[in-house]
Amino acid sequence: MSQNWWAIALRGLAAVLFGVAAFYVARITLWMLVALFGAYALVDGIFAVIEAFRRASRGSAGGPLLFEGVVGIAKAS
């Protein structure tokens, strides 16, 4: 994970920006928040699945990360 520190930082930044938008943009509707969260969960899940397969190809355990990615993708749908 130390090689891809930027991906973790990007995930965190996206989550923080989503949270800030939820609190400070008063005119945003519930539907828009749900759509934004769905998009975030989908992209986050896809990246988690990709990382799980990369870890598995290097011989590391990628099972928990694969599970996280599949659950994230399922939340988005």
Side-chain angles (χ1 to χ4, degrees):
M1 276 231 250
S2 63
Q3 295 173 354
N4 295 331
W5 63 267
W6 59 270
I8 295 169
L10 189 62
R11 264 175 86 178
L13 179 65
V16 167
L17 290 176
F18 178 76
V20 168
F23 281 114
Y24 289 110
V25 181
R27 294 184 181 235
I28 199 164
T29 63
L30 180 61
W31 181 86
M32 184 57 81
L33 285 174
V34 170
L36 283 173
F37 179 76
Y40 169 76
L42 179 65
V43 171
D44 186 52
I46 290 170
F47 281 126
V49 168
I50 291 170
E51 181 62 23
F53 282 116
R54 284 185 184 167
R55 286 185 185 188
S57 70
R58 288 181 276 171
S60 298
L65 196 57
L66 180 64
F67 178 73
E68 176 190 342
V70 170
V71 169
I73 292 170
K75 280 193 304 188
S77 57

